[in-house]
Amino acid sequence: FNLSAVLLSVSGNNSYISIGEKGNVKFGDQFAASTSLKLVCYKSIVFGDRVRFGYDCMCVDTDFHSIKSEDGNMVSNAIGSISLGADCWIAMKCVVLKNSVLPNKSIVASMSLLNKSYAELPEKVMLAGVPASLKKIGVWRDILDDKVDYN
């Protein structure tokens, strides 16, 4: 990928990318994000081609802490990969957390939280809520033909 093109795509006001020593971020072609994207990678984040982020989103593959039960057993690991398929649209104020996986052509509605794998879903789905759940099948945002008539 072209790092300078990615940086220009994420260079909106108040945006940042933080990649830890072992972090691995892969940007597909034509990745783009609006202002205030927070991207934190300590393991692996993979974006398919034409992934889009709206205003004020966060994508983080770590909690920066683990959780143990009373008996000392690990309940939650602090880190997990993220993979977003091609042509995904993450609307404004969404949060994408560790272990999130989206199929191609997914829409994530505003103010939603992704915190698990949705890989079992077909392409062209809309997810919404906290945590996000399936709302519609057979819909997608066509990035290459995204015309809006404001009349």
Side-chain angles (χ1 to χ4, degrees):
F1 70 91
N2 181 336
L3 181 59
S4 45
V6 168
L7 293 176
L8 285 173
S9 297
V10 189
S11 62
N13 181 40
N14 201 33
S15 293
Y16 69 80
I17 298 174
S18 175
I19 301 174
E21 185 177 313
K22 295 183 180 180
N24 185 22
V25 180
K26 292 184 182 176
F27 294 96
D29 289 340
Q30 300 177 39
F31 173 90
S34 298
T35 187
S36 301
L37 174 68
K38 310 300 190 266
L39 178 59
V40 179
C41 178
Y42 278 70
K43 183 175 184 179
S44 173
I45 300 177
V46 177
F47 300 108
D49 294 341
R50 295 169 302 281
V51 169
R52 298 290 196 266
F53 278 88
Y55 293 105
D56 201 20
C57 290
M58 183 177 286
C59 189
V60 184
D61 71 353
T62 180
D63 298 332
F64 294 104
H65 60 80
S66 57
I67 299 174
K68 291 184 177 180
S69 62
E70 286 183 16
D71 60 9
N73 290 324
M74 187 73 66
V75 174
S76 173
N77 191 4
I79 197 163
S81 299
I82 294 172
S83 179
L84 306 184
D87 298 300
C88 287
W89 166 237
I90 314 301
M92 68 179 193
K93 295 188 179 271
C94 286
V95 176
V96 180
L97 297 178
K98 68 180 185 183
N99 302 321
S100 294
V101 178
L102 281 181
N104 294 335
K105 300 180 180 178
S106 295
I107 297 171
V108 181
S110 295
M111 302 179 75
S112 295
L113 169 71
L114 296 178
N115 64 352
K116 65 180 184 177
S117 175
Y118 299 88
E120 76 283 355
L121 297 177
E123 292 186 356
K124 299 181 181 176
V125 296
M126 179 185 287
L127 304 167
V130 178
S133 61
L134 179 63
K135 300 300 179 188
K136 290 185 183 181
I137 297 175
V139 296
W140 69 298
R141 179 182 177 196
D142 186 352
I143 302 297
L144 302 175
D145 186 27
D146 196 13
K147 297 177 181 117
V148 178
D149 181 5
Y150 290 102
N151 295 320

